[in-house]
Amino acid sequence: MAIVIRIEGERTYQPGSTGQEERQRADEIDYRLSEDIAKLETDLRERGMVMAGKKVDAAQVWYEFGAVLNSIGDDFDIFGTPDEATFWLAVHDYVSDDFQEEWTLTKIGDPHRNHFRICGRMARYPLETVKQVGTWALWRDIFRYNRKLVEDKRVLDWVIDVLKRHAGPGHKAMRPFLEEVRRRIQNKETDVLTQAEFERLFEGAESLAP
Amino acid sequence: MNDWIQPRNSRRDLKAFQDAYETRISHDHWRAEALQKDGIQNAWDARTDRKHGKGWKCDIQYLSRQDGSPDFLVITDSGTTGLIGQIPTSEKELIEILQRDDPKEKIAYFLSLDWSKKDEGGDNVGSRGRGKLMYLGSSKDDKFYFESVRSSDGKYLFSSNYITKGHEGKVSPPAIDEAGRAIRRSALGNRLPELTEPGTRIIIPSPHPEIVGAVESGEFIPQIQKTWWEIMKKFGTSVVVNGIAAPPSDWVPVESSGFKVRKDYGPIDLGEGLKIKRMSLCYTEDKFVPGDYQGVAVQRNGMTVERKPMSSLKSELPEDKVYGSVEFERDLSEAMGKLEGPEHYDFKWNKYPANQVLRQMKATLDLFAKEHNLQEDERAKSSVEQRAAEVSAQRKLNKLAKKLGLTGRGLGPHGAKEKHRRKPDEKLRLSLTEFATPDDTRRVDVGGEVTGLCAVPINQFRDALQVEVRTSLYHHIGRNVPGADIRKQLSIPDSSSPRIGIGSITVDNTYATGQYHFRARMIAMEDKILDGDRTVSKGDILDQEDRTFWVAQDPPEPGLFNIIGIPRPDRHDQYIWYGPGDRGMNLYYNLDHPGFEALLDDTEKLEEVLVREGIVFLWTMYASQAQALPNPQTDLEKEAAALEGQTFEEQLDWVLQKRSENLWEL
């Protein structure tokens, strides 16, 4: 498999040495990204979701981006493959400047901090849940606090459930809770835990949510 | 009216002296350890054969209570000169003899306190005249006797040293020959045969119970072995405790003792005629160095004065696998003697030439680690965005370092090249020591092979532990190499030393250009308390190691600084710090420190902070190296060297001023 990516403006296939069939597929992904993202951006502008470079409802905007990108990734079976990280990196090549915020290539290389990957994770939840949890600032905090929140869906699901139950206060009020979650999973590989062990790990943490 | 001699509370002096020892030694048998150190040291310094100690012996004996007489601890030396010199007949004469400053006046010095003239430094260990206080401190009665047969004229002497009820320190005038023997009989009865051969005997009445315990239990012997292994091994010298000759220790770095690796370095020239005679280092593969022998023993005239732990030498070599010793040639020994602490347990390492010795010890350790492939590098765990900030900050710092003449080799002719470091020793860890690229640059071109892409899980606890080891190989933009993701569950220790990982790869065109990381992680798969000491919970990441190489690309250019971000979630005391690296210094910063976490997404701010903090280290290094130069040359070197002896505030102020000037220019 391969993905098309622009490095210093130059269009290239990643990995470098690929067969004809793989290049063809990479071209198709390239085309889908180009078309679907352009369509989304037009739609969002027409609906007044972005004005003068500012997003009226950032959570909605990024949710819709995440949904589109998830759709492309699912269609081409990219997720869970070695190409996934390159895919998220390549997305920045297609997004217009008024939707990007001073990002550079080097800034978004880390798959755990890639903005659009975070959008994709968020968009796996129903929009209603996303809105119920809170603003984009809170979603950004959720993912920024610990990369394990992005890696382990069980942890993320649990955090989202807690946030839904305690929705209302702003993202700063949630930080003690998110910090506690971070502290508990910091040096842990949570995917080896049984459900009972997982629940025991977070016992009492919810009390820090406002 | 004549001035008075100022009264002195000798009992309090004695207590202060002992408190210093207790603090220094910091275990329950400190009294016994201090006594053997001082006692044997006095005996060794009096040896007749200065070069080889031929015929020298030290005999330590405990005589229990008998028929109403107290118990005694007796230290007898032979093959020694005895207390030679003019025998004073009055207090006034004693002072006159002392004022001659003649090291041969041994009896006069023995009768005094803080008035030793044993070739200051020289080839004597003691040189402060305070060791005798330990004899007093070993007796519950604050008293000891001594007798001596002099090699110079065969005369027999007997005297005592004690503290009165009024806290005054007193010595009885030395009684000679028959008079001395008579006083001896009166004081000691027939408990002990009289000394008849040249030598000196210390007789301590009512020794403290811990000393008695140490002698009778045999605990004394390991303490003696630990301190005096050098003279015992080299010269076959004999220390006997209650009739049992203390055997030389097995843990002697200067002789081949069946270790996996042992190497001697030296002589090492420090300049100005000062030389380290030898630094011996040993690595044990499958046995653990006992706590008493860990570190590098700093020897002076046959005695271990101090053991420097690996961590204090900025070495990550494991304390329980690597140990050694360092010995000095005569001039350096004399110079170091002047920097030796009064309890003979440490040196003033911040002073010249001790600071040069320390520097060489660190460099030699690093060389040893590299030569024998003992180090494990800890590589960057930062993301690409952080790496960009690191590289940019590195460039700025290295440019300044170059301008200052700091290249990792130190200033002037005395600097040594800093080399590798090793991760701190952990009993649960992954070993990746087999990792290898075609050459040291870690660049691999198409067709090149990377080997040792595997991890060996290690458990040095007695209890077994169920773990999972995961390995992966990925490009720095996150693309995993297919087939390199491996997971294996096993119980460790495992005598088969399993190697988990992809093993080796041959780079072909499917590998993208750029940096690759091989990552290995070990996860606990059960809750357990290991050896009743270490608690492990299921899911704990016990260790994570990375190795890096570059495909079809040169690694970042070298310079003094290489900046590395590493996660240290439990180290609140580590924000930014430095240590030796491959080609200079590694400047580490803690990715988990709240001070950095907020910056990790902002490359500009991260770079700014790294530069700002790095400049402080740079100037601190510069000042330290300039102060170690015997002859600073440039104005700046002289300016920095002149800081030595100034207060900490003044030195810090200087560093901060220099930093401010640099930041202005940047």
Side-chain angles (χ1 to χ4, degrees):
Chain A
M1 281 202 283
I3 300 287
V4 170
I5 190 167
R6 275 93 182 151
I7 296 177
E8 292 174 354
E10 204 171 308
R11 189 178 187 275
T12 183
Y13 294 94
Q14 193 75 261
S17 172
T18 50
Q20 178 68 26
E21 208 175 299
E22 287 161 342
R23 286 187 181 220
Q24 196 173 328
R25 183 174 170 281
D27 290 341
E28 286 171 18
I29 297 170
D30 177 42
Y31 177 77
R32 266 291 292 277
L33 282 167
S34 171
E35 287 286 301
D36 289 8
I37 289 175
K39 229 183 257 178
L40 173 64
E41 288 181 357
T42 304
D43 183 51
L44 288 168
R45 283 191 200 100
E46 284 175 1
R47 281 157 52 199
M49 297 298 287
V50 61
M51 291 163 71
K54 286 203 180 295
K55 295 158 200 67
V56 171
D57 182 348
Q60 175 85 34
V61 168
W62 297 128
Y63 181 86
E64 293 192 33
F65 263 96
V68 163
L69 295 170
N70 283 346
S71 168
I72 298 172
D74 287 339
D75 287 349
F76 285 94
D77 284 325
I78 293 171
F79 302 131
T81 71
D83 289 317
E84 182 179 347
T86 317
F87 171 79
W88 291 118
L89 195 68
V91 167
H92 287 264
D93 294 339
Y94 307 94
V95 177
S96 309
D97 289 348
D98 54 350
F99 284 95
Q100 302 215 41
E101 293 171 9
E102 297 174 19
W103 290 310
T104 64
L105 194 67
T106 56
K107 250 190 116 149
I108 40 92
D110 179 356
H112 301 290
R113 295 180 193 272
N114 181 293
H115 168 75
F116 291 107
R117 188 177 187 225
I118 291 170
C119 295
R121 292 304 293 262
M122 185 175 71
R124 292 292 183 193
Y125 295 92
L127 181 59
E128 188 189 332
T129 300
V130 170
K131 297 274 187 173
Q132 197 178 348
V133 164
T135 62
W136 168 245
L138 179 52
W139 278 95
R140 197 181 49 212
D141 273 358
I142 291 167
F143 291 108
R144 184 170 290 179
Y145 254 85
N146 195 300
R147 58 185 59 190
K148 286 202 177 67
L149 282 168
V150 180
E151 284 172 2
D152 189 340
K153 191 169 185 302
R154 198 168 43 164
V155 177
L156 183 57
D157 284 347
W158 179 78
V159 166
I160 298 301
D161 280 343
V162 169
L163 292 175
K164 274 165 63 179
R165 284 197 288 276
H166 295 266
H171 67 281
K172 286 185 183 169
M174 287 300 179
R175 278 187 185 161
F177 165 68
L178 292 173
E179 170 61 32
E180 179 63 16
V181 170
R182 185 189 84 89
R183 193 186 66 76
R184 291 191 188 204
I185 63 176
Q186 204 159 353
N187 264 339
K188 282 272 192 214
E189 197 63 78
T190 50
D191 63 13
V192 304
L193 302 177
T194 63
Q195 187 59 31
E197 288 162 347
F198 179 89
E199 285 168 9
R200 219 166 28 241
L201 177 65
F202 290 110
E203 219 170 293
E206 189 171 346
S207 64
L208 287 164
Chain B
M1 193 167 164
N2 290 336
D3 291 342
W4 300 349
I5 293 173
Q6 191 174 50
R8 192 166 178 148
N9 188 328
S10 293
R11 189 160 274 113
R12 198 166 282 178
D13 282 348
L14 176 62
K15 183 166 184 332
F17 170 79
Q18 292 186 95
D19 285 347
Y21 263 114
E22 188 176 6
T23 304
R24 187 68 62 195
I25 299 173
S26 69
H27 64 69
D28 289 343
H29 301 291
W30 64 270
R31 225 187 281 266
E33 181 158 338
L35 177 63
Q36 62 85 12
K37 208 164 188 180
D38 276 314
I40 298 173
Q41 168 213 297
N42 278 338
W44 181 245
D45 284 346
R47 63 195 183 277
T48 312
D49 176 2
R50 303 303 301 174
K51 205 165 177 189
H52 300 294
K54 194 175 170 186
W56 182 88
K57 185 181 166 190
C58 183
D59 196 312
I60 301 170
Q61 193 181 8
Y62 174 67
L63 301 175
S64 54
R65 283 176 167 279
Q66 200 181 78
D67 300 327
S69 82
D71 51 347
F72 295 104
L73 185 81
V74 183
I75 304 173
T76 309
D77 59 57
S78 50
T80 52
T81 59
L83 294 170
I84 56 177
Q86 181 180 342
I87 302 169
T89 55
S90 69
E91 198 172 318
K92 183 165 173 274
E93 194 178 350
L94 172 59
I95 292 171
E96 280 169 6
I97 297 168
L98 289 168
Q99 283 170 343
R100 284 182 216 152
D101 260 1
D102 183 350
K104 293 191 183 54
E105 301 291 350
K106 290 190 189 302
I107 177 63
Y109 285 116
F110 200 77
L111 291 168
S112 67
L113 194 60
D114 276 331
W115 212 321
S116 174
K117 192 62 184 173
K118 279 185 210 175
D119 303 325
E120 270 171 9
D123 66 348
N124 289 310
V125 187
S127 56
R128 300 287 180 91
R130 301 177 72 207
K132 296 180 287 299
L133 279 176
M134 204 54 229
Y135 301 144
L136 278 174
S138 298
S139 164
K140 288 186 294 191
D141 301 337
D142 294 338
K143 179 177 194 164
F144 72 94
Y145 304 98
F146 64 92
E147 59 182 345
S148 186
V149 173
R150 295 145 53 96
S151 58
S152 50
D153 53 16
K155 280 188 166 47
Y156 173 86
L157 300 178
F158 186 83
S159 176
S160 63
N161 192 329
Y162 59 98
I163 298 177
T164 67
K165 287 199 169 86
H167 312 304
E168 280 182 298
K170 294 267 193 194
V171 290
S172 58
I176 306 169
D177 292 333
E178 245 342 282
R181 291 186 182 97
I183 295 173
R184 183 193 195 276
R185 279 192 294 273
S186 167
L188 304 177
N190 293 321
R191 294 292 310 277
L192 193 63
E194 188 185 292
L195 201 64
T196 54
E197 296 297 319
T200 302
R201 175 181 283 154
I202 308 297
I203 305 148
I204 299 170
S206 303
H208 280 275
E210 61 161 282
I211 295 175
V212 175
V215 171
E216 294 207 303
S217 68
E219 171 63 27
F220 224 35
I221 291 182
Q223 291 178 357
I224 291 167
Q225 288 173 322
K226 182 178 79 173
T227 307
W228 298 102
W229 59 266
E230 189 187 332
I231 60 170
M232 290 164 78
K233 191 77 179 183
K234 272 187 194 172
F235 308 126
T237 50
S238 185
V239 178
V240 176
V241 180
N242 265 9
I244 300 171
S249 168
D250 286 336
W251 294 96
V252 173
V254 295
E255 300 285 337
S256 177
S257 304
F259 302 121
K260 181 170 167 70
V261 177
R262 200 196 75 78
K263 186 164 175 177
D264 291 338
Y265 297 88
I268 302 171
D269 192 349
L270 305 184
E272 311 270 311
L274 303 177
K275 289 184 189 172
I276 290 173
K277 183 176 174 182
R278 173 167 56 179
M279 185 163 173
S280 301
L281 293 168
C282 303
Y283 168 67
T284 74
E285 187 177 45
D286 54 2
K287 44 186 180 178
F288 298 109
V289 179
D292 283 345
Y293 289 90
Q294 290 180 6
V296 177
V298 185
Q299 301 292 109
R300 210 173 73 77
N301 296 327
M303 181 172 87
T304 300
V305 174
E306 182 179 349
R307 283 183 192 272
K308 295 290 281 177
M310 293 298 157
S311 54
S312 77
L313 295 166
K314 286 205 181 293
S315 173
E316 303 281 12
L317 287 168
E319 300 279 1
D320 61 0
K321 290 286 189 190
V322 179
Y323 82 113
S325 65
V326 63
E327 303 158 61
F328 308 131
E329 290 199 352
R330 192 190 163 87
D331 287 348
L332 182 58
S333 178
E334 195 172 314
M336 290 295 286
K338 293 174 185 165
L339 300 178
E340 193 174 307
E343 297 87 19
H344 308 296
Y345 271 89
D346 57 7
F347 293 95
K348 290 180 187 149
W349 291 105
N350 60 331
K351 298 284 185 194
Y352 179 83
N355 50 13
Q356 290 299 309
V357 169
L358 196 62
R359 193 175 174 76
Q360 283 297 339
M361 285 168 68
K362 290 175 190 175
T364 308
L365 262 173
D366 288 338
L367 181 62
F368 180 73
K370 189 181 179 192
E371 282 177 351
H372 301 288
N373 230 6
L374 300 177
Q375 80 280 15
E376 287 184 10
D377 294 318
E378 187 149 11
R379 300 293 177 186
K381 291 172 170 65
S382 36
S383 67
V384 169
E385 69 215 44
Q386 289 145 23
R387 190 70 201 126
E390 289 162 7
V391 167
S392 185
Q394 252 169 231
R395 284 206 183 103
K396 288 180 179 161
L397 289 170
N398 287 333
K399 198 171 161 187
L400 180 57
K402 198 172 170 181
K403 199 170 151 193
L404 291 175
L406 287 171
T407 58
R409 293 176 182 270
L411 300 173
H414 302 289
K417 191 170 180 198
E418 301 277 9
K419 297 233 179 116
H420 296 276
R421 64 186 282 272
R422 195 170 192 271
K423 100 187 248 305
D425 176 50
E426 293 282 347
K427 286 190 174 179
L428 288 169
R429 65 181 187 274
L430 290 168
S431 171
L432 270 71
T433 52
E434 295 176 6
F435 174 80
T437 52
D439 60 41
D440 280 351
T441 64
R442 284 179 283 138
R443 174 179 172 137
V444 189
D445 290 308
V446 171
E449 205 183 0
V450 182
T451 58
L453 292 167
C454 49
V456 176
I458 293 171
N459 173 10
Q460 290 179 328
F461 288 98
R462 286 188 301 277
D463 295 332
L465 180 69
Q466 192 71 14
V467 299
E468 180 172 287
V469 177
R470 298 180 179 180
T471 64
S472 61
L473 179 64
Y474 59 94
H475 190 266
H476 77 272
I477 59 163
R479 186 173 192 280
N480 279 27
V481 172
D485 288 337
I486 292 171
R487 294 187 181 193
K488 186 178 169 68
Q489 289 197 18
L490 67 163
S491 175
I492 55 171
D494 182 332
S495 57
S496 66
S497 291
R499 283 157 172 73
I500 299 149
I502 197 176
S504 65
I505 57 163
T506 301
V507 169
D508 59 25
N509 288 330
T510 63
Y511 285 82
T513 299
Q515 190 178 21
Y516 279 79
H517 299 271
F518 174 71
R519 173 162 291 175
R521 185 182 275 191
M522 182 161 74
I523 302 148
M525 294 302 289
E526 58 177 335
D527 295 332
K528 201 159 188 176
I529 300 175
L530 298 168
D531 293 0
D533 179 43
R534 166 94 179 260
T535 302
V536 165
S537 301
K538 186 178 177 186
D540 282 351
I541 298 173
L542 302 170
D543 193 14
Q544 179 170 298
E545 290 291 313
D546 282 281
R547 294 292 181 269
T548 309
F549 60 92
W550 283 261
V551 168
Q553 191 178 75
D554 287 326
E557 60 191 42
L560 173 66
F561 280 117
N562 185 27
I563 298 178
I564 300 178
I566 52 178
R568 288 274 171 96
D570 296 317
R571 292 301 301 267
H572 296 195
D573 61 333
Q574 284 187 330
Y575 171 64
I576 192 164
W577 69 101
Y578 71 98
D582 287 354
R583 294 185 184 87
M585 301 303 290
N586 283 343
L587 193 67
Y588 300 99
Y589 69 105
N590 187 349
L591 291 169
D592 286 307
H593 196 288
F596 276 110
E597 266 202 315
L599 301 175
L600 295 181
D601 282 341
D602 189 333
T603 49
E604 276 182 30
K605 284 211 169 74
L606 179 60
E607 182 196 320
E608 188 188 306
V609 168
L610 291 172
V611 168
R612 196 174 67 222
E613 299 291 338
I615 293 179
V616 170
F617 281 99
L618 213 146
W619 281 111
T620 305
M621 272 170 60
Y622 185 87
S624 170
Q625 288 177 19
Q627 287 169 34
L629 288 173
N631 296 304
Q633 299 293 313
T634 68
D635 288 344
L636 189 59
E637 282 174 5
K638 288 174 186 167
E639 187 187 336
L643 294 170
E644 191 180 2
Q646 293 193 19
T647 64
F648 174 77
E649 286 84 0
E650 283 163 337
Q651 298 209 41
L652 179 60
D653 207 40
W654 182 85
V655 167
L656 295 178
Q657 279 174 20
K658 291 298 179 196
R659 179 178 73 166
S660 179
E661 288 166 10
N662 292 143
L663 289 175
W664 196 289
E665 285 160 16
L666 284 172

